[in-house]
Amino acid sequence: MIWYQWIAIIAFIICAIVLASDLVKLIKLGNPKDLSRKQGNVPAAIKYSFTGAMSPMAKESAYQHLPTYIGGLLYHMGTFLSLGLFIWFLINISLHAEMHVAIAIIFQIILWISALSGILILLKRIFKQELRSLSGADDYISNILTTLMQIATALFILNTSNEAFYFIVMALFFLWLPFGKTKHVLYFFAARYHLGYFYGWRGTWPQK
Amino acid sequence: MVTIDKEKREKALQILKNSNDSKLLTHLNACVRCGLCAGSCMYYLAMKDAKFIPARKVDLVTSIYRRYLTTQGKLMPALFNAKDLDDKMADEMVDLLFGGCTMCGRCVKHCSIGVDISYIVKKGREMLAAMDMVPKTLQSTVDAAINTGNNMGIPTEEFVDTIQWMEEELVDEMQDANARIPLDEQNKHIFYTLNPREPKFFPLSITAMAKVFYAAGESWTLSSKNYDVTNYGYFNGNNAEATQIARNLYDEVKNLHADVLVLGECGHGSRANRWEGPNYLKKEYEFENITAVELMAQYIREGRIKLDKSLNKELMTIHDPCNLIRNGGLLKEMRFVINSAAENVVEMNPYGNDNFCCGGGGGKLAMSEYNERRLKIGGIKAEQIKKTGAKVVITPCHNCVDQLVQINHTYKLGVQIKTIAEIVADALIIDKKQ
């Protein structure tokens, strides 16, 4: 293995350890210890929180901002695809298996669309005064690293000469992920869980 | 001007350190500042100022968390949007967390992530309370509740006089000398509570509920001292004071040996007692603790009261109090009662769990320094009401009633504002043979 592959692997391990320790902390802290009398169905509400409540028709943040919502959806798809491909590339260092060209091209198209969504979201943050006023360095760095990571992955799929660039970008991404706002990869799920728990306890959700 | 010294800062940070579950840690780390919550906030919609975007309010609290309680924020604050808790920051927190949010939670439901924004705002208020930075107007309301037993400082004699007067009205209306508004009676089934605005400004709503109790043949009582359902300690962020106020009711229910604590028509009061009370007192309540809406629904279902909805013919609409509906799960129950008592009900748009706050929540009615903002954001509700064409607005919350009355006047809506007890009382069929 080459030095930049090692760097990426070490960064990935650091990222996994920090996120895992955050997860353990959340699990240890546990559910809210609510002493009021429960009125609803908490498990059903948590399920609803991850399903029906996430539907674009259930949230103004989605149906009032459809282009951003769709862009965000694509962007996240590209991020998870890139993470999956990173694992595949790591395994493939020893396997030397070749990805079918058609599949590689499909992945590339998805990643280019996703990266473009990331760029548009970034431009929106830069040019929309109100959004700019909410933003700090973390918002720009998180977006740039995630978008760059997708571009690097798209380039690397069919052209391995970009290997050094790819692994270094991935290393930077993994080192940032658990510390910047990108950590919402973990806290998003915890937030949806708590939201379901809260509304479920009080009988607000599942919305009938 | 308050200066934030090390001791005050430490007290504030303690709020963010103290957590016995994962909720606080989760919501402190979940916001991505996408800003898509803006359109769900009535402050932002009415004021068109970016500072009112809910994510900005969250960031005030979370940037402090990152600055002092995360390694990355301690080492590289500029990179991770971590900010100092200094005078400027504290002033901004007062302006936005007390003066720019009613904690209605509308943005929470619509947040792309699911951040409990009003919970974080509440934590911010707790931090400010720890630094003695609660607006004086709000604090004086809490002080009144603690010192006199009710948030308006109504002397017991005056309250007792009002109740006796209302009892006479009830006797006249029912033409029954046995019709009563019992005070301080022991071993009754129900201990009923009031918003002090009722004896002070809207005493007829007390008679309305008394009429419902009369029709249901209920065994009930009021307390002459601890009848106040409100708890502004929920809003000022001082949990010790909130606990003391909640304890007043708890102790009174126990002293009078009642079976059920029925929370009068007050959104935040219901929330503070039904949902927060046991957590303030750190114990499960031994008695049942329900809202007046649920009690009336129960009476209707059990056939204990009979209603003729043709007695309420006018076009009516419903204002959903945030703490009873979105944060209290009574959407269907409330509509069951209203639709049983009124013939012609039309919904606002949006309504229910998506409904806009009236603008008087979050302790706003107690903070006169924000009156102008409060009435401006109330314009959204005024517009909603206008569009329904209704002549009557029904709401089971006296704080909402107060704000709606002011909106009615400011925006010249020409509507009547009524509580659910009043609507139900108007539709009651009284069986004289009972």
Side-chain angles (χ1 to χ4, degrees):
Chain A
M1 282 215 295
I2 310 164
W3 63 272
Y4 47 74
Q5 290 173 336
W6 277 114
I7 288 177
I9 291 171
I10 291 167
F12 177 66
I13 292 170
I14 291 172
C15 173
I17 289 172
V18 176
L19 284 181
S21 100
D22 284 357
L23 177 63
V24 169
K25 206 186 282 179
L26 289 175
I27 292 169
K28 270 189 178 170
L29 282 165
N31 281 333
K33 283 100 190 159
D34 198 326
L35 295 168
S36 63
R37 258 180 231 178
K38 190 170 61 151
Q39 184 167 264
N41 182 341
V42 171
I46 292 171
K47 188 177 157 205
Y48 178 75
S49 179
F50 282 100
T51 53
M54 286 296 291
S55 122
M57 293 322 294
K59 291 195 295 187
E60 286 178 351
S61 56
Y63 64 73
Q64 288 183 350
H65 307 270
L66 269 180
T68 305
Y69 173 76
I70 293 166
L73 220 57
L74 293 168
Y75 193 41
H76 282 82
M77 271 172 60
T79 304
F80 283 107
L81 176 60
S82 301
L83 291 173
L85 285 170
F86 175 76
I87 305 287
W88 162 252
F89 292 142
L90 279 190
I91 296 167
N92 210 30
I93 289 171
S94 54
L95 287 181
H96 303 292
E98 281 202 14
M99 188 183 287
H100 194 285
V101 178
I103 294 174
I105 290 172
I106 291 169
F107 282 165
Q108 251 199 342
I109 292 169
I110 294 172
L111 287 168
W112 283 118
I113 293 171
S114 159
L116 180 66
S117 302
I119 291 167
L120 292 174
I121 290 168
L122 178 64
L123 291 176
K124 186 180 171 192
R125 192 173 283 282
I126 292 169
F127 290 109
K128 203 173 169 206
Q129 190 274 327
E130 290 190 339
L131 197 49
R132 200 169 61 237
S133 76
L134 280 180
S135 309
D138 179 17
D139 299 287
Y140 298 106
I141 295 169
S142 293
N143 183 302
I144 290 167
L145 277 177
T146 308
T147 308
L148 203 57
M149 175 269 266
Q150 294 178 9
I151 293 171
T153 308
L155 291 172
F156 185 56
I157 290 178
L158 285 173
N159 185 355
T160 49
S161 66
N162 298 310
E163 195 176 52
F165 174 69
Y166 171 72
F167 280 105
I168 289 167
V169 167
M170 291 309 288
L172 288 173
F173 172 75
F174 285 127
L175 288 177
W176 184 264
L177 191 148
F179 302 106
K181 75 170 187 183
T182 33
K183 66 186 166 195
H184 75 270
V185 68
L186 170 67
Y187 289 99
F188 163 79
F189 295 99
R192 297 306 306 178
Y193 176 87
H194 276 289
L195 197 64
Y197 195 99
F198 174 80
Y199 284 142
W201 190 272
R202 297 181 179 204
T204 305
W205 278 358
Q207 200 162 319
K208 293 135 201 158
Chain B
M1 188 177 157
V2 177
T3 301
I4 308 297
D5 56 22
K6 201 179 165 191
E7 190 190 344
K8 280 193 171 164
R9 186 180 302 126
E10 195 44 48
K11 280 184 184 172
L13 292 175
Q14 208 54 43
I15 302 293
L16 300 181
K17 289 179 191 168
N18 281 347
S19 182
N20 51 9
D21 61 54
S22 58
K23 185 173 177 174
L24 179 58
L25 188 63
T26 292
H27 293 302
L28 284 171
N29 284 288
C31 180
V32 294
R33 295 176 289 280
C34 66
L36 299 178
C37 48
S40 302
C41 175
M42 61 194 310
Y43 273 93
Y44 174 78
L45 291 173
M47 317 295 276
K48 296 286 178 226
D49 183 337
K51 75 175 184 177
F52 292 109
I53 296 175
R56 172 110 185 84
K57 298 165 200 169
V58 168
D59 202 47
L60 291 174
V61 178
T62 57
S63 63
I64 294 168
Y65 158 76
R66 289 190 291 271
R67 177 70 184 91
Y68 298 99
L69 301 174
T70 68
T71 310
Q72 64 269 31
K74 283 177 193 169
L75 297 174
M76 292 169 282
L79 274 189
F80 293 97
N81 300 357
K83 291 176 191 153
D84 289 335
L85 175 51
D86 51 20
D87 289 348
K88 188 171 167 265
M89 170 65 98
D91 285 342
E92 202 178 345
M93 285 170 78
V94 171
D95 182 51
L96 291 178
L97 306 185
F98 278 112
C101 177
T102 63
M103 293 157 67
C104 72
R106 191 170 189 277
C107 52
V108 177
K109 184 177 172 288
H110 291 289
C111 170
S112 57
I113 296 277
V115 179
D116 194 337
I117 297 161
S118 47
Y119 171 78
I120 293 295
V121 167
K122 172 82 162 53
K123 286 292 160 191
R125 287 188 179 198
E126 287 177 27
M127 291 167 75
L128 291 166
M131 297 189 292
D132 297 323
M133 291 188 73
V134 176
K136 286 189 172 58
T137 44
L138 177 59
Q139 189 56 46
S140 68
T141 307
V142 176
D143 291 344
I146 286 173
N147 298 329
T148 69
N150 71 84
N151 77 42
M152 301 196 90
I154 304 169
T156 305
E157 274 181 23
E158 189 183 318
F159 176 72
V160 172
D161 280 351
T162 305
I163 294 300
Q164 285 169 349
W165 166 40
M166 287 301 111
E167 190 175 68
E168 286 162 19
E169 294 286 321
L170 184 71
V171 168
D172 283 350
E173 198 181 342
M174 295 297 106
Q175 296 176 326
D176 182 352
N178 295 320
R180 301 202 49 227
I181 303 184
L183 270 179
D184 300 324
E185 295 189 7
Q186 291 202 325
N187 302 312
K188 296 290 178 177
H189 181 56
I190 279 171
F191 176 93
Y192 187 61
T193 55
L194 303 169
N195 184 313
R197 286 171 196 277
E198 295 182 76
K200 193 81 179 170
F201 304 121
F202 309 103
L204 290 178
S205 73
I206 304 173
T207 326
M209 195 62 201
K211 200 172 153 185
V212 175
F213 283 133
Y214 173 82
E218 188 58 88
S219 146
W220 69 291
T221 188
L222 279 172
S223 162
S224 60
K225 280 208 160 95
N226 293 306
Y227 56 84
D228 185 356
V229 69
T230 71
N231 190 338
Y232 278 79
Y234 176 73
F235 291 136
N236 79 346
N238 186 324
N239 286 339
E241 290 174 343
T243 303
Q244 194 178 331
I245 295 168
R247 190 182 301 281
N248 286 346
L249 275 192
Y250 174 87
D251 286 345
E252 196 68 344
V253 176
K254 302 287 281 181
N255 289 341
L256 295 176
H257 307 293
D259 304 322
V260 185
L261 167 60
V262 175
L263 305 162
E265 294 188 69
C266 175
H268 91 269
S270 297
R271 177 179 188 157
N273 289 291
R274 166 82 170 86
W275 301 111
E276 317 293 346
N279 297 309
Y280 287 142
L281 270 62
K282 296 186 175 33
K283 63 197 294 186
E284 289 177 17
Y285 284 6
E286 301 87 339
F287 45 81
E288 218 184 323
N289 180 2
I290 62 169
T291 61
V293 173
E294 289 164 288
L295 182 71
M296 285 185 270
Q298 205 176 304
Y299 287 161
I300 297 167
R301 282 201 187 94
E302 291 170 358
R304 288 180 66 180
I305 56 173
K306 290 189 177 56
L307 304 176
D308 176 0
K309 56 174 155 182
S310 70
L311 295 169
N312 284 315
K313 275 192 191 320
E314 276 182 304
L315 184 59
M316 299 183 177
T317 190
I318 304 168
H319 165 66
D320 294 290
C322 313
N323 284 315
L324 285 173
I325 307 303
R326 189 164 38 243
N327 298 310
L330 294 182
L331 174 73
K332 282 198 156 181
E333 203 72 337
M334 186 166 95
R335 274 156 182 78
F336 168 70
V337 176
I338 292 172
N339 288 316
S340 302
E343 201 172 57
N344 214 351
V345 181
V346 61
E347 293 287 6
M348 292 188 202
N349 183 25
Y351 74 96
N353 293 333
D354 284 336
N355 199 24
F356 281 102
C357 172
C358 60
K364 284 293 168 307
L365 283 161
M367 293 184 269
S368 51
E369 59 270 53
Y370 300 116
N371 277 355
E372 202 181 316
R373 273 187 197 171
R374 174 168 59 79
L375 288 171
K376 191 163 182 187
I377 63 169
I380 292 174
K381 181 57 57 184
E383 203 50 40
Q384 277 192 292
I385 294 170
K386 232 182 246 176
K387 282 182 181 160
T388 64
K391 295 291 168 214
V392 179
V393 181
I394 312 166
T395 190
C397 169
H398 279 277
N399 272 15
C400 296
V401 167
D402 216 9
Q403 166 77 348
L404 291 170
V405 165
Q406 293 185 45
I407 289 174
N408 193 17
H409 174 75
T410 307
Y411 294 93
K412 299 182 175 35
L413 299 176
V415 292
Q416 262 188 295
I417 319 293
K418 289 191 171 182
T419 63
I420 295 192
E422 287 171 321
I423 294 293
V424 170
D426 287 346
L428 276 175
I429 303 167
I430 305 287
D431 185 357
K432 293 287 177 194
K433 289 175 200 157
Q434 271 181 349

